[in-house]
């Protein structure tokens, strides 16, 4: 009977040498790769007491699909020498790979990768044991998304960082489209508003600017910050100009003080194929520092074909990468997870098709429970489903709008994407989302 062995590889950071090192451990007896394998003649030290169990939930709860929960890895430190060595290493957020296979199998092709993830925090050192907490790839993205904040140090009439009221607040980011969003007033003397920081070196478009829902006249574009700040190049009264570059981000300047609330429609890039769910999902991952080579392009292409429509995505408040990436994936009916090869995956939820991969019987199943798919404690099948779409980033009631709703030529306009005016536009502006529903009472 062949002996199975668990191999664990951790890329930790040596704080003494200031270099990343791969630490290798195994259970049972020590293991060494062959001279013909890569890496060659490499030792795995036999310190693993418990490799931990990795749990994969196809469905965990609403919004948590394809969820991977690795178990804790316990190493033997009965001599104290391993702990003395590892105390000088940083582990949090570092790579960990766990494989299992028959001892003597070809490395790595003869082994099954159980986990390709990251470390969650530093190890716990206790009497005779060291406990490691692995996590899947998605866990490393549970960190703040926006790093750029307003300094609040304007010396008027100069500056684009706002005053004390903006100090420390996050700057807006447009990842997709942002219908009827509120730009941030960053220079009260020159009436300059901030729309978005630059992301990925691409420009953010400003399609239409409105004051109390009434469109203002657009002027020529600025080409540099110096032009934006130059009073001789200010817009005429009742109009606006925009600065949008891959380096500076997007700003608008008004030619006269607004009567009420200023809103506009913003969009990342010119091309519609750059603002789909799949591309936005990829864009946020890359903004988080994820290597694009570790993202499944096949998954992105497949979702783009199935769902080519543009999607709303803009960040105005403190949040984290994990939350926003999850929102984009879930809104497309997808599960997002890190697979065993270390790739970020985006898989659509589809009805089962083809031959079954397994038959679940009482002999092969520990327990079977009916899941609460809605997250409200009701296990009965849903008989009515409501879907919201067409986000309006600034809800405005009649009292916040200009124009004349009794006039057939009422100038109030909804989002440039909605392309509607008058009473229909007012209705659109009064709601955050459009809603459709389907029901089955049988």
């Amino acid at each position: 009977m062949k002996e199975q062995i668990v191999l664990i590889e951790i890329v930790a950071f040596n704080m003494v040498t200031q270099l990343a090192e791969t630490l290798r451990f195994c259970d049972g007896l020590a293991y060494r790769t062959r001279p013909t394998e890569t890496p060659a003649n490499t030792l795995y030290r036999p310190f693993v007491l418990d490799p931990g169990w990795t749990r994969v939930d196809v469905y965990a709860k609403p919004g948590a699909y394809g969820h991977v929960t690795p178990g804790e890895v316990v190493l033997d430190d009965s001599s104290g020498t391993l702990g003395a060595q590892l105390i000088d290493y940083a582990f949090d957020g570092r790579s960990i790979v766990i494989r299992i296979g028959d001892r003597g199998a070809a490395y790595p092709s003869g082994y099954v990768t159980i986990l390709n993830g990251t470390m969650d925090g530093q190890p716990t050192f206790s009497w005779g044991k060291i406990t490691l907490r692995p996590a899947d790839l998605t866990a490393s993205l549970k960190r703040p998304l926006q790093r750029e904040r307003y300094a609040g140090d304007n010396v008027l009439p100069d500056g684009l960082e706002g005053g004390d009221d903006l100090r420390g607040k996050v700057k807006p980011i447009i990842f997709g489209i942002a219908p009827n969003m509120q730009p941030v007033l960053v220079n009260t003397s020159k009436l300059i508003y901030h729309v978005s920081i630059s992301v990925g070196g691409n420009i953010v478009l400003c399609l239409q600017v409105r004051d109390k829902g009434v469109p203002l006249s657009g002027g020529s574009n600025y080409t540099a910050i110096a032009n934006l700040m130059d009073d001789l190049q200010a817009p005429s009264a009742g109009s606006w100009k925009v600065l949008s570059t891959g380096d500076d981000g997007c700003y608008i300047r008004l030619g006269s003080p607004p009567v009420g609330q200023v809103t506009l429609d913003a969009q990342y890039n010119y091309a519609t194929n750059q603002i789909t769910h799949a591309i936005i999902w990829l864009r946020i991952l890359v903004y988080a520092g994820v290597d694009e080579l570790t993202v499944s392009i096949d998954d992105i292409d497949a979702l783009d074909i199935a769902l080519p429509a543009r999607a709303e995505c803009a960040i105005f408040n403190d949040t984290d990468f994990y939350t926003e990436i999850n929102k984009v994936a879930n809104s497309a009916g997808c599960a997002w997870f890190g697979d065993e090869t270390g790739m970020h995956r985006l898989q659509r939820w589809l009805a089962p098709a083809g031959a079954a991969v397994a038959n679940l019987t009482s002999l092969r199943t520990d327990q079977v429970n009916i899941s609460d798919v809605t997250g409200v404690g009701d296990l009965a099948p849903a008989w009515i489903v409501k879907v919201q779409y067409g986000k309006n980033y600034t809800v405005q009631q009649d009292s916040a709008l200009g124009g004349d709703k009794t006039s057939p030529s009422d100038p109030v306009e909804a989002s440039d994407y909605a392309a509607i005016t008058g009473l229909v536009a007012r209705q659109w502006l009064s709601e955050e989302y459009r809603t459709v529903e389907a029901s089955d009472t049988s």
Side-chain angles (χ1 to χ4, degrees):
M1 183 176 179
K2 294 183 178 180
E3 176 191 358
Q4 283 203 323
I5 184 174
V6 174
L7 304 178
I8 298 177
E9 302 152 14
I10 304 170
V11 181
F13 184 76
N14 188 322
M15 293 182 286
V16 176
T17 65
Q18 293 292 294
L19 296 172
E21 299 177 16
T22 301
L23 308 175
R24 295 179 169 88
F25 306 105
C26 66
D27 62 351
L29 300 176
Y31 173 86
R32 188 182 293 274
T33 59
R34 298 177 177 87
T36 56
E37 295 171 338
T38 303
N41 303 314
T42 301
L43 177 67
Y44 286 75
R45 296 184 289 174
F47 286 113
V48 177
L49 295 176
D50 183 354
W53 287 96
T54 296
R55 169 177 173 151
V56 179
D57 293 290
V58 176
Y59 171 88
K61 61 182 180 179
Y65 311 106
H67 188 64
V68 179
T69 307
E72 293 184 338
V73 174
V74 180
L75 304 179
D76 180 14
D77 191 32
S78 53
S79 68
T81 55
L82 181 62
Q85 176 191 3
L86 298 188
I87 200 72
D88 290 325
Y89 286 79
F91 288 84
D92 189 28
R94 311 296 295 188
S95 170
I96 178 170
V97 177
I98 302 178
R99 312 175 199 268
I100 188 170
D102 294 330
R103 183 182 285 272
Y107 177 91
S109 59
Y111 289 81
V112 176
T113 301
I114 302 300
L115 176 71
N116 194 321
T118 61
M119 293 294 299
D120 181 13
Q122 289 292 100
T124 299
F125 297 88
S126 57
W127 192 261
K129 294 180 181 179
I130 301 171
T131 302
L132 309 174
R133 293 183 300 279
D136 78 331
L137 286 178
T138 65
S140 65
L141 294 164
K142 292 180 179 178
R143 50 189 171 84
L145 185 151
Q146 177 53 302
R147 298 176 289 265
E148 295 189 33
R149 296 175 180 270
Y150 291 110
D153 59 357
N154 279 4
V155 179
L156 294 177
D158 298 321
L160 295 173
E161 292 292 329
D164 289 339
D165 58 323
L166 291 184
R167 182 175 290 118
K169 292 185 177 180
V170 296
K171 295 183 177 181
I173 312 179
I174 308 300
F175 286 117
I177 64 173
N180 206 42
M181 64 163 279
Q182 277 187 266
V184 181
L185 180 59
V186 293
N187 188 307
T188 54
S189 295
K190 298 179 184 289
L191 298 177
I192 297 175
Y193 294 75
H194 192 198
V195 178
S196 177
I197 66 169
S198 174
V199 177
N202 276 286
I203 68 169
V204 170
L205 300 181
C206 184
L207 303 180
Q208 180 58 274
V209 177
R210 293 175 292 276
D211 180 4
K212 295 190 70 175
V214 177
L216 301 177
S217 300
S220 58
N221 295 346
Y222 294 115
T223 58
I225 292 290
N227 305 132
L228 173 71
M229 302 299 290
D230 185 356
D231 292 338
L232 296 178
Q233 300 183 51
S236 59
S239 65
W240 59 278
K241 289 184 179 182
V242 62
L243 167 71
S244 185
T245 71
D247 294 325
D248 300 319
C250 184
Y251 296 86
I252 64 166
R253 181 169 178 174
L254 302 187
S256 53
V259 178
Q261 200 170 38
V262 175
T263 60
L264 55 84
D265 304 319
Q267 173 178 314
Y268 183 94
N269 205 303
Y270 291 99
T272 302
N273 64 2
Q274 290 295 305
I275 49 177
T276 63
H277 284 82
I279 298 301
I280 292 171
W281 177 77
L282 171 63
R283 181 170 299 129
I284 301 176
L285 280 174
V286 172
Y287 184 67
V290 172
D291 187 341
E292 196 166 340
L293 295 177
T294 66
V295 181
S296 173
I297 299 303
D298 289 342
D299 288 353
I300 291 173
D301 291 342
L303 182 57
D304 257 349
I305 292 171
L307 186 59
R310 61 197 177 195
E312 298 91 353
C313 187
I315 310 299
F316 302 106
N317 300 300
D318 281 299
T319 184
D320 59 73
F321 286 107
Y322 181 89
T323 297
E324 298 308 318
I325 294 172
N326 225 33
K327 285 180 183 177
V328 174
N330 291 172
S331 68
C334 291
W336 161 59
F337 57 94
D339 70 10
E340 70 280 1
T341 67
M343 296 293 289
H344 292 270
R345 304 296 306 276
L346 184 66
Q347 291 278 290
R348 295 171 61 210
W349 279 96
L350 301 171
V357 296
N359 293 316
L360 300 180
T361 67
S362 58
L363 294 177
R364 302 182 64 183
T365 307
D366 178 42
Q367 59 179 332
V368 176
N369 296 312
I370 299 175
S371 180
D372 171 18
V373 296
T374 61
V376 296
D378 188 355
L379 300 183
W383 68 273
I384 183 170
V385 176
K386 296 182 179 180
V387 176
Q388 293 181 316
Y389 70 98
K391 182 176 175 64
N392 167 19
Y393 279 88
T394 308
V395 174
Q396 295 171 290
Q397 304 300 333
D398 261 350
S399 59
L401 298 173
D404 180 2
K405 68 178 181 180
T406 65
S407 170
S409 58
D410 182 11
V412 166
E413 180 184 282
S415 160
D416 198 56
Y417 299 101
I420 50 178
T421 59
L423 291 177
V424 181
R426 290 173 181 270
Q427 179 62 35
W428 192 97
L429 291 168
S430 70
E431 300 172 341
E432 184 177 8
Y433 291 100
R434 305 332 98 197
T435 304
V436 293
E437 65 180 52
S439 62
D440 182 356
T441 58
S442 60

